[in-house]
Amino acid sequence: MSLLPAFLDLHGARAVVVGGGAVALRRTRTLLDAGLHVQVIAPDRCDELAALTADWQPRAYRSGDLLGAALVVAATSHAGVNAQVVRDARDLGLLVNDASDATRGNLRFPAVAEQAGVQVAVSTGRELPMLAQALTERTRDLLPTPEQLGTWTGQREAALTLPEPQRQAALGALRRDIRRAVGVPA
């Protein structure tokens, strides 16, 4: 199965996480870091989840809880509840992740390396999160520092103001510098 890699700007959108354990905690952190407003629905929640700024509804999931959401995560320890959340989300045309079985949802969370605003997301296309995590750790060392990124951005902006053929020469030099910095042959 082929997946569509995408970076989504859902800042300010409502997300619903059903579940209150360790997996719900990880997904809630990810969603909050991306700027979503997160509502957690679970009778109980772990202490770390309680410390986050998510809105907690201390109860079991009910049909209708997903109305107005842009994204949903089913992260309970009950397969039947997760399956119902996924069915309800799909019926509403929502992005949904089933943390217990990623193949049931239409959204998967990749492993992510991030530095200086550069993000690299890795998915194996299979259920091998340890491979995605290892590749992400290896990739993290290749990401530019904020200083490098600032320098390269400035060089690109300056190059774009040049007339041809100087523009192409400056962009070519920048391309070679970037490729050299990340260990790719020019």
Side-chain angles (χ1 to χ4, degrees):
M1 177 171 79
S2 182
L3 300 174
L4 172 68
F7 286 87
L8 304 173
D9 180 357
L10 296 175
H11 191 271
R14 178 173 170 254
V16 175
V17 175
V18 181
V23 176
L25 170 65
R26 284 196 314 271
R27 297 296 184 245
T28 299
R29 281 183 178 148
T30 298
L31 297 171
L32 288 170
D33 288 347
L36 284 87
H37 297 290
V38 181
Q39 181 179 52
V40 175
I41 300 171
D44 299 300
R45 61 184 172 166
C46 64
D47 291 340
E48 295 92 344
L49 189 52
L52 299 179
T53 60
D55 172 40
W56 178 41
Q57 298 296 307
R59 59 176 174 74
Y61 172 76
R62 300 188 292 237
S63 289
D65 283 339
L66 307 182
L67 292 175
L71 185 147
V72 177
V73 175
T76 75
S77 57
H78 304 286
V81 173
N82 289 345
Q84 184 62 53
V85 170
V86 170
R87 275 192 303 275
D88 291 349
R90 284 184 169 271
D91 287 348
L92 292 170
L94 303 175
L95 294 172
V96 60
N97 171 259
D98 184 335
S100 63
D101 183 355
T103 63
R104 284 192 277 196
N106 58 14
L107 173 69
R108 296 185 186 183
F109 286 88
V112 177
E114 182 174 3
Q115 180 169 280
V118 175
Q119 292 181 317
V120 177
V122 178
S123 173
T124 63
R126 301 167 189 254
E127 298 310 311
L128 286 172
M130 59 286 294
L131 173 60
Q133 290 162 356
L135 290 169
T136 300
E137 288 171 22
R138 178 75 187 269
T139 302
R140 190 170 287 119
D141 294 336
L142 299 174
L143 296 180
T145 65
E147 295 78 19
Q148 282 175 308
L149 192 60
T151 299
W152 292 337
T153 301
Q155 289 173 335
R156 180 181 179 276
E157 289 171 0
L160 293 177
T161 66
L162 297 173
E164 293 295 344
Q166 293 93 340
R167 174 189 315 208
Q168 289 309 313
L171 290 173
L174 175 58
R175 184 176 296 109
R176 287 187 297 278
D177 186 33
I178 292 171
R179 293 177 68 84
R180 194 172 26 258
V182 298
V184 176

